[in-house]
Structure formats: C-alpha cells, structure tokens
Amino acid sequence: MIRPDAPVLLEIRDLQASVEDQPILKGVNLTIRAGEVHAVMGRNGSGKSTLSKVLAGHPSYTVTGGSVHYRGDNLLELDPEERARIGLFLGFQYPVEIPGVSNLEFLRVATNARRSQQGAEELDTFAFEDLVRERLAVVQMDPAFLDRSVNEGFSGGEKKRNEILQMALLEPVVAILDETDSGLDIDALRIVAGGVNQLASPDNATLLITHYQRLLEVITPDYVHVMAAGRILRSGGKELALELERTGYDWVDEQVARLEAAAERQPLEVG
Ligand code: ADP
Ligand code: MG
C-alpha cells in the first residue's frame, strides 16, 4: 500500500559494499515507507543477497560507502543482534540448521529478545507455547516441527515456513526475504506467500528478493526494482515484473555494459 506521507522505515543511499576487497554493491538507492511491499529482482550474481546481508550486518561484508537509515537512525553502526531486536528481519536464502538446539527454545529466545526491546514482558515456556501454536496457523505448520532441532533435516519448503513462523513471532518492522520462493513447490509457495501477506500491515514493510515473477503473482508488490551489477538500474510498479517476464534480462545486460564502459572512460575524461 503506497501512502506518500507514510513514515520512511528504511533509507538506503548510495550504498557500496565489498566482500574480500571485491566491490559488489556499487551505489544502491532505495527508500521504503511503512505499508509498502518492495521486490528486488535481478539475475543471479547481481548483488541481491549481498544487499540483504549488508542490511542484516553480516560480518563478511564491508560497507565502503553510502548510508542506511532505519527509522531515522544509522543502521550501519548497530550490530546484527541489535538490528534484529529493533525490528529488522532477514529471511535467508539458505536458512541455517542448528543441530542440538530445539526449534521451540530458539524461537522463544528470539521472540523474548524482541519483546523486551518492545517493552513487552518475557514469555515463559508455557505462555510461549500458546503464542507459537496460534502463530503456527499462519504457515500451516505441524507443531511437531517445534520439538526438532532448528531446521535440521527440514525440507527446503519446511525451512522457509519456519522462517515465516519466526517472522510471525518477531513481528518485524522491516522484513527482508531473500529468495523465499526458491525450492518451493506451488503449494508451499502459496502457504509462504499467504503468511507474508497476512503479516503485512500499514505499519511494517516487506522487501522481497526474488528472480522469479511467480512469487509476485501471489504477493503483489507496490514497487519493483531491477538490480544488476550491484546497482538498482530501474524501478517501477508491479507491471515492471511482468515486463521482465516478457523481455528477460537482455536489456539489463546491455545497460550494465554501457554503464561499465562509461565508468572505464571516466578516468580519461577526468585526466
Ligand atoms: P545474487 O543474490 O543476486 O545472486 P550475490 O549477492 O549472492 O548475488 O552475489 C553477488 C556477487 O558477489 C557474485 O559475483 C558473488 O560471487 C559475489 N559474492 C557474494 N558473496 C561472496 C563471498 N562471501 N565471497 C566472495 N564473493 C562473494
Ligand atoms: Mg542470492
């Protein structure tokens, strides 16, 4: 839902980041307001996951320029745990398995950390079980998954559902979902997408990262951004995703080639 006067939740300005001294993000600009659903699309290797990891504060990624503000505060100076506590949620492309840690206990600790930041009381095991059982409905998940180790032996679809369950419990302000659709069959996709739709509200925002149009048939984005070579090349409404479906990414590649050629010429012009 687009409301021009809604508060800005995430403001990314000219963000540049490297991995192992190799520049990946080369100036990303993105403004996300409350109530909005954004989709970032792009070929493999365009920097989509890098963007989500930089926003989450992953230690392997070094920010080399630009800024990110979350509800007006400098996000980049917060450690990853603080970012999560204040309401940033990252659903990973490849959710990690944590053998030996009960899913229920993991979800309880995470939920309580978030609740204490919100000034809500901590939930003991019993109170938490009530809450989690209620939220299981969002992803139509079997309670048996609570008693297993976090994601251990879960199928791709079950891991993604578990992520949306986490999201349902944490009630994030900005949720970033990286390739939530990858590896999902159509039923799991509908359940996961249905969960995301149920959790969207006028007070929060969702950033979906995907390279398939099919997720966007079940979650309607307000904005679609096309990422290539570490930048957002073009932004538009939901029709941009349909256009990409028709045209493919060839025009994107051409535009990137022109940009890179221009960047190479630039030193000559300057000197
Ligand atoms: P996408 O999610 O759009 O497929 P990524 O952000 O995963 O793209 O990757 C963008 C580029 O950054 C790729 O060329 C990839 O090889 C490189 N990259 C990402 N993470 C690392 C890493 N940890 N080490 C080395 N290179 C990386
Ligand atoms: Mg990726």
Side-chain angles (χ1 to χ4, degrees), residues 42-50 52-53 93-94 178-179 209-211:
R43 274 197 201 285
N44 276 328
S46 55
K48 304 183 302 296
S49 292
T50 301
S52 63
K53 288 176 184 171
Q93 184 167 3
Y94 304 105
D178 191 3
E179 305 275 354
I209 295 178
T210 181
H211 67 261

Side-chain angles (χ1 to χ4, degrees), residues 183-225:
L184 297 188
D185 62 31
I186 193 71
D187 294 328
L189 179 77
R190 285 190 186 284
I191 290 168
V192 165
V196 172
N197 283 333
Q198 278 179 63
L199 298 172
S201 84
D203 301 319
N204 63 26
T206 311
L207 177 60
L208 297 170
I209 295 178
T210 181
H211 67 261
Y212 296 112
Q213 152 67 17
R214 62 173 203 162
L215 181 68
L216 306 181
E217 285 164 8
V218 270
I219 305 175
T220 307
D222 298 302
Y223 295 98
V224 172
H225 311 278

